[in-house]
Amino acid sequence: QKEVEQNSGPLSVPEGAIASLNCTYSDRGSQSFFWYRQYSGKSPELIMSIYSNGDKEDGRFTAQLNKASQYVSLLIRDSQPSDSATYLCAVDSPGAGSYQLTFGKGTKLSVIP
Amino acid sequence: GAVVSQHPSRVICKSGTSVKIECRSLDFQATTMFWYRQFPKQSLMLMATSNEGSKATYEQGVEKDKFLINHASLTLSTLTVTSAHPEDSSFYICSVDLQGADGYTFGSGTRLTVV
């Protein structure tokens, strides 16, 4: 059973602060790791992808991957109210005939103006 | 990035009827598409993997005779919820694997309400 675990939150941070989101996964065969943002009633949109150990930065977002610890994180710097959403960690690993995404339950982030 | 169009965005149907949801990959030929279901305050759960020209692969616990998937072309997959019941009310989302750094892209989702 592949599992992706996230704190459900809610995580509240003041505007301008750093929001830190964490995720662990169970399948060591996982190859690719993604962070999606989902606004209420909408479908997920890709924020970051990461494939190798270390940090990957894109604007205000930094993803961190540690395969030995089976841990992925997302840092959001200078958090804005528009960042308020549910953040889904997703892990791509071999499934029945193809790779499949397994999602965590998501962390709800609230950025307080 | 690739665009995935999903239709309809919302549908209300009576219990016992069938509903068809379409997922189109507008600028990417997708041999594989994925169908997810999301209940309120829950995460996305993979229902099935749709394979162009062959049978879909269903996840454990998903009834293949109830959720019919057809992937007749590289740009279109359909999910038909047959004999819908109120417990099938959910947010259904399709996804395409872009097989690269762009990861997976999602359709806009279909909110199904069975009354």
Side-chain angles (χ1 to χ4, degrees):
Chain A
Q1 182 83 7
K2 301 169 191 173
E3 295 182 350
V4 178
E5 300 287 343
Q6 294 180 254
N7 287 329
S8 60
L11 173 66
S12 293
V13 300
E15 184 175 356
I18 295 175
S20 178
L21 306 167
N22 304 313
C23 171
T24 59
Y25 60 95
S26 64
D27 186 356
R28 286 195 174 273
S30 301
Q31 300 289 320
S32 309
F33 308 86
F34 306 92
W35 283 98
Y36 286 87
R37 177 174 62 196
Q38 187 177 27
Y39 293 112
S40 181
K42 304 294 184 182
S43 65
E45 55 179 322
L46 182 66
I47 298 296
M48 290 284 288
S49 60
I50 187 165
Y51 305 95
S52 55
N53 283 328
D55 295 359
K56 179 181 177 182
E57 185 175 320
D58 184 1
R60 296 187 295 114
F61 300 95
T62 298
Q64 298 173 318
L65 173 62
N66 184 325
K67 289 186 178 180
S69 301
Q70 296 173 248
Y71 173 84
V72 193
S73 68
L74 179 69
L75 297 178
I76 306 175
R77 290 181 298 280
D78 187 24
S79 296
Q80 301 297 308
S82 58
D83 294 327
S84 298
T86 296
Y87 288 80
L88 301 170
C89 174
V91 176
D92 194 12
S93 52
S98 67
Y99 276 74
Q100 296 175 346
L101 269 187
T102 301
F103 284 86
K105 291 186 176 180
T107 299
K108 186 172 183 178
L109 172 66
S110 293
V111 180
I112 311 301
Chain B
V3 176
V4 177
S5 173
Q6 190 172 338
H7 179 80
S9 57
R10 288 179 179 272
V11 58
I12 300 173
C13 72
K14 292 184 177 180
S15 185
T17 62
S18 297
V19 173
K20 179 186 283 188
I21 303 170
E22 291 188 349
C23 180
R24 293 183 183 273
S25 176
L26 298 183
D27 54 0
F28 183 84
Q29 293 189 323
T31 55
T32 303
M33 294 186 180
F34 303 89
W35 287 96
Y36 293 85
R37 179 169 55 183
Q38 186 177 33
F39 292 107
K41 301 190 185 300
Q42 300 292 316
S43 190
L44 280 75
M45 296 299 294
L46 180 65
M47 298 176 66
T49 302
S50 172
N51 305 299
E52 188 267 336
S54 64
K55 292 181 179 181
T57 304
Y58 290 82
E59 294 301 300
Q60 191 173 8
V62 178
E63 301 173 57
K64 61 182 180 181
D65 294 330
K66 180 174 181 61
F67 298 98
L68 301 179
I69 291 174
N70 184 283
H71 193 157
S73 76
L74 290 172
T75 59
L76 175 64
S77 176
T78 60
L79 169 67
T80 301
V81 183
T82 63
S83 187
H85 291 283
E87 57 264 32
D88 298 324
S89 298
S90 187
F91 191 46
Y92 292 84
I93 313 172
C94 68
S95 171
V96 170
D97 179 7
L98 301 178
Q99 299 175 348
D102 292 336
Y104 295 74
T105 193
F106 288 83
S108 55
T110 298
R111 176 75 58 191
L112 170 64
T113 303
V114 184
V115 298

